[in-house]
Amino acid sequence: MNDKYTAQAATTEAAIEKGLKALGINKEDAIIEVVQESKKGFIGIGQKDAIVVVKKTNTKDAVEELLSKEVMLGEEESTTIKPSEKQEEKGILEDEADTETDKEMRETGNETNETVEDKKASNVKDASETVETEKAEDTNNVSQEKKELFNEQDEAAVQKVSEYLKTVATKMGVEDVTINVKRDYNRVKFSIETKDAGLIIGRHGKVLNSLQTLAQIQMHQEADNKLYAKVDAENYRDRRKKTVEQLATRTAEKVQRTKRPVILEPMPAHERKQIHRYLNRFSGVQTHSEGKDPHRYLVVEPSKEEDFTL
Amino acid sequence: MTDTEMRELIRTIVEPLVSHPEDVKLDLKDTDDFHEYLLSVHPDDVGRVIGKRGRIAKAIRSIVYSIQFDGPKRVRLTIVD
């Protein structure tokens, strides 16, 4: 891996940005040395590009790198890396909604259950509570439909996608890859097990999401029934979800306290959605998104109704 | 990662997605700044590698670009049609 990169661009900021991107690291992990400041010049005369040297300070794991962003956002140390609990595993499948179709499916499936749950506990803060009831409901539902859904073509498709992920991962230069397949109704989860999970996940889960997109497409091409593919590595989805929820809780509390809107960092659609869903249960705050993808960001603001209870 | 490995990677990603895997062609154009891979597929398959709003193309690119390639140049993947 390269640890040093010399970048040249019209402005110093752009050059730094370029250098960081080339190394795939955050600003905090880099030593930035400005070799030459940029000069605007006049109508292109006397114009000079900025040259910066970006050096890597420490070779952090990609996973840690992802988390460092949350620490920044949360303004306090976050204890995001927790050993995954078995019970929570279901939760990934519930909330990891990337595709629109996925959303439809879940809504039709779980809506009734969720509304009941919502009434029961009006100000739910603990996500595990809903997860648990959903789980119970899931197993009931599934037992009826599961049988007819398991057919040979589907099985073959799952097998094929699993092979596909494995070969792609191997060709990416990741060694000793094993894929664990877990099927729950029409959701299929592929967990990529390897030592080099950082490579598979990528910055902010970019590679992981890409693999998921590709897996999803193959799945639709091959399978008889509509199956939904989830791709995970090292429980990244689970961890990420917890991080996002923590961030959401903190932001909501801040908004409740200060009664001022808070703007969050830009994040991908499914994470915004997680926050929207999660904060829906909080009284006193409302959420919406602004801006254009990929820089669309979420705004948490106090609700219009002033009669909220804290 | 070397050129051959990169080619293999792109092929492994793309071939299962298309209906005419034998028509997948991969050319390398070396410019001053980039290792540019020109991917061409059967006319019927172009949509399959690009996807709705370029979703698949984007996914393929982010995997390809995530790889540390040998040498100072960056990799670029272009779909030719």
Side-chain angles (χ1 to χ4, degrees), chain A residues 260-276:
Chain A
R260 278 172 184 278
V262 172
I263 295 169
L264 295 176
E265 286 274 292
M267 50 179 91
H270 61 274
E271 283 174 21
R272 288 200 309 271
K273 188 164 159 187
Q274 278 178 9
I275 297 189
H276 283 308

Side-chain angles (χ1 to χ4, degrees), chain B:
Chain B
M1 180 169 278
T2 60
D3 179 46
T4 28
E5 282 175 309
M6 185 53 92
R7 277 167 193 266
E8 264 181 51
L9 172 66
I10 298 172
R11 279 185 179 275
T12 6
I13 296 174
V14 174
E15 271 167 14
L17 298 175
V18 296
S19 45
H20 303 276
E22 66 282 357
D23 287 344
V24 175
K25 271 203 231 74
L26 202 54
D27 293 312
L28 179 69
K29 198 173 105 189
D30 242 333
T31 60
D32 287 347
D33 302 308
F34 294 100
H35 270 290
E36 192 170 355
Y37 287 95
L38 305 172
L39 175 71
S40 61
V41 292
H42 191 276
D44 294 347
D45 284 331
V46 175
R48 279 177 217 260
V49 290
I50 294 175
K52 215 193 247 171
R53 287 172 169 256
R55 248 183 90 207
I56 304 172
K58 207 175 132 198
I60 298 171
R61 287 203 180 107
S62 49
I63 294 175
V64 170
Y65 296 169
S66 76
I67 304 294
Q68 202 80 39
F69 196 77
D70 289 348
K73 282 189 219 173
R74 302 207 14 216
V75 175
R76 189 187 256 180
L77 180 68
T78 315
I79 297 160
V80 190
D81 62 15

Side-chain angles (χ1 to χ4, degrees), chain A residues 67-259:
Chain A
L67 291 162
S68 64
K69 190 186 156 203
E70 265 65 56
V71 181
M72 250 168 54
L73 282 174
E75 300 167 333
E76 54 191 274
E77 44 89 48
S78 63
T79 47
T80 39
I81 317 174
K82 284 176 200 153
S84 62
E85 292 133 56
K86 263 273 175 278
Q87 174 216 321
E88 226 99 72
E89 226 146 79
K90 282 264 165 157
I92 316 167
L93 298 168
E94 283 307 321
D95 282 48
E96 256 304 319
D98 287 353
T99 54
E100 293 131 55
T101 33
D102 200 0
K103 174 189 162 196
E104 278 165 37
M105 172 203 68
R106 188 174 343 88
E107 272 174 6
T108 45
N110 294 337
E111 192 106 289
T112 41
N113 188 272
E114 262 179 30
T115 39
V116 173
E117 176 63 30
D118 272 354
K119 273 173 205 156
K120 258 193 269 174
S122 49
N123 200 354
V124 193
K125 283 199 178 182
D126 192 0
S128 66
E129 214 173 317
T130 24
V131 169
E132 215 144 43
T133 38
E134 275 171 3
K135 190 171 156 187
E137 184 244 20
D138 259 357
T139 36
N140 284 343
N141 245 349
V142 168
S143 51
Q144 300 158 8
E145 282 155 295
K146 218 172 198 168
K147 274 172 201 151
E148 53 186 278
L149 266 164
F150 269 103
N151 73 43
E152 275 167 34
Q153 204 179 337
D154 283 1
E155 286 303 303
V158 171
Q159 196 53 43
K160 206 169 167 186
V161 173
S162 157
E163 278 301 309
Y164 177 69
L165 287 172
K166 190 172 175 173
T167 39
V168 171
T170 315
K171 296 278 188 232
M172 279 173 74
V174 181
E175 275 152 34
D176 53 69
V177 189
T178 40
I179 313 267
N180 279 342
V181 186
K182 229 177 165 180
R183 180 154 174 199
D184 175 30
Y185 188 29
N186 56 0
R187 302 181 197 125
V188 189
K189 190 180 147 205
F190 300 92
S191 316
I192 303 172
E193 312 279 342
T194 170
K195 269 184 257 163
D196 252 340
L199 271 176
I200 293 292
I201 296 169
R203 291 200 59 181
H204 303 291
K206 212 174 157 192
V207 178
L208 199 62
N209 287 338
S210 300
L211 287 172
Q212 181 166 297
T213 313
L214 295 173
Q216 182 80 70
I217 284 151
Q218 288 239 358
M219 200 68 125
H220 286 322
Q221 273 180 14
E222 306 284 340
D224 219 9
N225 295 295
K226 274 237 163 200
L227 295 181
Y228 300 92
K230 296 265 160 258
V231 179
D232 196 2
E234 257 189 358
N235 262 318
Y236 174 77
R237 302 279 187 209
D238 208 9
R239 271 192 345 240
R240 184 74 191 161
K241 190 186 147 214
K242 274 187 199 156
T243 322
V244 167
E245 284 180 356
Q246 249 181 27
L247 170 72
T249 316
R250 272 204 296 261
T251 316
E253 278 163 3
K254 195 173 167 192
V255 170
Q256 284 172 336
R257 208 170 53 235
T258 60
K259 308 229 172 15

Side-chain angles (χ1 to χ4, degrees), chain A residues 1-30:
Chain A
M1 237 199 178
N2 285 340
D3 283 37
K4 200 177 152 191
Y5 187 89
T6 314
Q8 187 174 2
T11 63
T12 321
E13 286 79 30
I16 294 170
E17 186 68 22
K18 200 172 157 190
L20 291 173
K21 221 178 147 195
L23 292 176
I25 54 172
N26 282 332
K27 209 169 186 173
E28 305 88 74
D29 310 324

